[in-house]
Amino acid sequence: MGIVPIVEGHGEVQAVPVLLRRLLERCEAHHVRVERHIRVPRGQLRHPDGLERAVRLACMVADDAAVLILLDADDDCPAELGPALLSVARSVARASVPVAVVVARAEYESWLLAGLEGLRGRRGVREDATAPVDPESVRGAKEYLQQQMEPGRYYSETVDQPALTQMFDLDRARQRSPSFDKLWREVERLAASHPA
């Protein structure tokens, strides 16, 4: 089976497949492929027409596909946004297609901050970089991450996000970030929907 990620950001286009492969490895779901992403700009993904189009396209990828919609909450409430988008997505997808919606609170980079220990001394992140106590409460996670980098090193969403995703501490991130824990659980659920 395959998981088709639907994402909104340019950084997530390359980072989310990396993240899904790491989580599938941890779930020992070696039979699950990560299919090519579908990127939908933020404004369109939150609009029913844009979301419906993306889910229909995702359902065409493979007969045994599952759909994972991943986006940043930013200023929205994840507890309200996630179920609303899931309701729209399920109304479009075939009954046999498992669908999940995960809303990062507040940004994808909040998950990198939650697992910052795995990034110390790597890819421009300072050896003494410190994770915030509550990474999901940080507004401006990209800026916080930038502050944890060596002088003269600048965080680039499209260049650094995939590389940092390959290295951040998954277990710490799961402990500190409820939205990352939800992603992990949803990946497990989707993988289990089509046993090997």
Side-chain angles (χ1 to χ4, degrees), residues 62-75:
D63 290 337
D64 61 349
V67 178
L68 173 63
I69 301 159
L70 181 65
L71 67 159
D72 294 345
D74 292 321
D75 294 323

Side-chain angles (χ1 to χ4, degrees), residues 100-182:
V101 175
V102 177
V103 182
R105 182 179 171 236
E107 303 172 61
Y108 184 97
E109 284 79 1
S110 301
W111 294 346
L112 300 178
L113 294 179
L116 193 63
E117 286 80 358
L119 304 177
R120 287 180 182 152
R122 306 170 80 179
R123 199 148 177 107
V125 176
R126 296 192 330 255
E127 288 280 358
D128 64 347
T130 55
V133 174
D134 181 5
E136 293 193 332
S137 70
V138 174
R139 288 297 300 148
K142 291 178 185 68
E143 291 77 13
Y144 188 100
L145 187 57
Q146 174 64 55
Q147 293 168 3
Q148 302 307 307
M149 301 186 93
E150 298 286 350
R153 182 69 164 76
Y154 298 98
Y155 174 73
S156 165
E157 186 176 338
T158 53
V159 174
D160 293 317
Q161 192 174 350
L164 297 178
T165 295
Q166 184 64 48
M167 298 181 280
F168 80 110
D169 188 324
L170 296 176
D171 295 306
R172 289 285 183 112
R174 191 174 195 183
Q175 292 167 1
R176 290 184 178 134
S177 168
S179 67
F180 184 73
D181 178 58
K182 176 173 174 55

Side-chain angles (χ1 to χ4, degrees), residues 29-46:
H30 307 292
H31 64 291
V32 179
R33 304 176 310 275
V34 178
E35 303 286 358
R36 181 171 170 74
H37 71 274
I38 297 171
R39 192 183 87 76
V40 181
R42 178 185 165 88
Q44 295 177 28
L45 190 54
R46 292 166 193 245

